[in-house]
Amino acid sequence: AARLTVADSPAGPALAVLGVGPPMATVRATLDIGARGTTFTDLSVVSGPYRLDGVGAMRHDGQRWHANATLATARIDMTFLRDLAASAHGPTGGWSTTPFAADPLFAANLDLRLSADRVTIGSQQISQAALAVITRAGRIEVNLGDGVFEGGRAKARLAATRSADGFDVRASGSLFGSDLGAAMVDAGWPRRVSGLANAEFEFESNGVSAAELAARLDGRLSAAFRSGELLGIDLHRLATRRTGRPEALLAESLGGGTAFESATVSTRIARGLAGPVEGYMQANRLVGTLGGTVDLPGFEVSLFGSVIQVSSEPAQTDPLPVLDFSIAGPLAAPRTTPNVTNLLKRS
């Protein structure tokens, strides 16, 4: 067995991509050195509290390093992915116009396969994860082949290729049976909904910076909830109170929750504009709808919605209005405003 310390070698960037911290680790392995390169069996990579075990190989073709490894670990921290996403924001709060510095990602041909019992990204966790990182000259691909996220199954894929416009980027993913409300809390946002959901997305764009990617983004996304609860307002209470001051009616209903049978939201994105947003909720005899747009390059939300109560009597066909509202403002902290005037008309 041989012991070596990885510093400024081709394995260094590979370890950094895997999230084991800075490119400094203790590597133990049985080496087989031949004319076609070096193979590593009984491979063990230790960096701080993290240990990865598996096999690997490395060779140089006279121009580029080629490295591959199949590794397994009990836990690994990839919070650098969250930090990388945060760097997409500029100093003034918009998208960063700084060109991507991606040359280190393309310095070698890497094929890294990782299975992890637990992957930590900031305050969020993915368990039973199967990950792959593949790089070629001018191309990188990151795959989450499978994983458990907030109680459901998750898959995702990100690919970036050099082009005349900078980078062509494609991303896709899906969730099945995940608690998206819990994911919102872990991400630092207020929890607005509970219940298990299925979701999927597909995005593509091109550019040299995060600002250009946002402005040229095309794609679609959708989510569907079953047997959940809308948190923050009791719409059933609001619907059953037909008299009184509208401000008092609204205040009595705030802070509660509204159980629903189903809720969906979907939209398409063209050149950074998500819209029309189409939302629908069924909560017994209450029906809620949501529409509007989200300007991703401008970080602005402009949504509107309404809730009605359909009659339980076959002879009465006209629904009763319950609440109209708008959601507007910065994408990171939009403000929900009820239409008190319409409440006044109803009461």
Side-chain angles (χ1 to χ4, degrees):
R3 175 179 294 192
L4 55 135
T5 299
V6 177
D8 298 324
S9 76
L15 298 176
V17 169
L18 285 174
V20 296
M24 179 65 69
T26 300
V27 180
R28 296 182 178 90
T30 300
L31 278 64
D32 183 1
I33 302 174
R36 301 185 63 181
T38 302
T39 60
F40 302 84
T41 57
D42 300 322
L43 176 61
S44 173
V45 182
V46 179
S47 179
Y50 308 110
R51 172 173 175 152
L52 301 92
D53 296 292
V55 297
M58 185 178 297
R59 66 182 178 85
H60 196 279
D61 63 7
Q63 295 181 330
R64 294 172 60 83
W65 282 100
H66 299 254
N68 65 77
T70 300
L71 302 169
T73 183
R75 62 190 182 101
I76 196 166
D77 191 330
M78 291 188 168
T79 300
F80 76 95
L81 293 175
R82 180 200 63 185
D83 300 336
L84 181 62
S87 69
H89 294 170
T92 60
W95 295 104
S96 172
T97 58
T98 302
F100 296 123
D103 287 344
L105 296 176
F106 307 128
N109 285 11
L110 303 176
D111 188 340
L112 306 174
R113 313 292 171 133
L114 172 66
S115 61
D117 293 339
R118 185 179 67 189
V119 177
T120 300
I121 305 174
S123 58
Q124 298 185 330
Q125 291 188 359
I126 303 173
S127 58
Q128 301 174 28
L131 297 162
V133 180
I134 302 171
T135 68
R136 297 294 183 264
R139 179 178 173 82
I140 182 171
E141 183 175 328
V142 180
N143 283 302
L144 172 63
D146 192 22
V148 177
F149 178 68
E150 299 295 355
R153 310 301 301 191
K155 294 183 178 182
R157 176 179 179 270
L158 173 67
T161 306
R162 285 193 185 276
S163 68
D165 296 317
F167 295 93
D168 290 336
V169 179
R170 294 177 179 269
S172 61
S174 63
L175 297 173
F176 181 80
S178 296
D179 187 345
L180 293 187
M184 293 173 65
V185 173
D186 290 341
W189 298 334
R191 182 163 190 157
R192 299 301 188 193
V193 66
S194 67
L196 303 183
N198 300 339
E200 60 181 21
F201 66 87
E202 289 183 0
F203 301 139
E204 62 179 49
S205 188
N206 59 78
V208 298
S209 66
E212 289 191 359
L213 290 183
R216 300 171 182 174
L217 185 68
D218 294 328
R220 64 178 182 86
L221 61 87
S222 62
F225 295 81
R226 295 290 180 185
S227 302
E229 185 178 17
L230 180 68
L231 304 177
I233 188 169
D234 186 344
L235 292 171
H236 292 290
R237 182 183 181 93
L238 188 63
T240 55
R241 295 294 298 274
R242 310 306 301 175
T243 60
R245 294 186 300 110
E247 294 87 348
L249 290 176
L250 187 61
E252 289 178 3
S253 303
L254 293 177
T258 303
F260 59 78
E261 292 83 55
S262 63
T264 62
V265 62
S266 63
T267 189
R268 290 192 172 274
I269 305 169
R271 305 298 288 181
L273 183 67
V277 174
E278 298 179 345
Y280 181 86
M281 181 189 72
Q282 181 78 49
N284 197 1
R285 292 194 295 122
L286 296 180
V287 175
T289 58
L290 182 70
T293 59
V294 178
D295 181 3
L296 297 175
F299 276 93
E300 285 292 322
V301 175
S302 180
L303 302 174
F304 55 88
S306 66
V307 180
I308 60 173
Q309 184 180 54
V310 297
S311 175
S312 59
E313 301 294 333
Q316 184 177 346
T317 59
D318 292 336
L320 298 175
V322 176
L323 179 68
D324 293 335
F325 62 93
S326 63
I327 304 174
L331 180 60
R335 180 179 178 83
T336 302
T337 305
N339 190 325
V340 180
T341 301
N342 283 358
L343 275 176
L344 182 60
K345 293 178 181 178
R346 193 201 73 180
S347 60

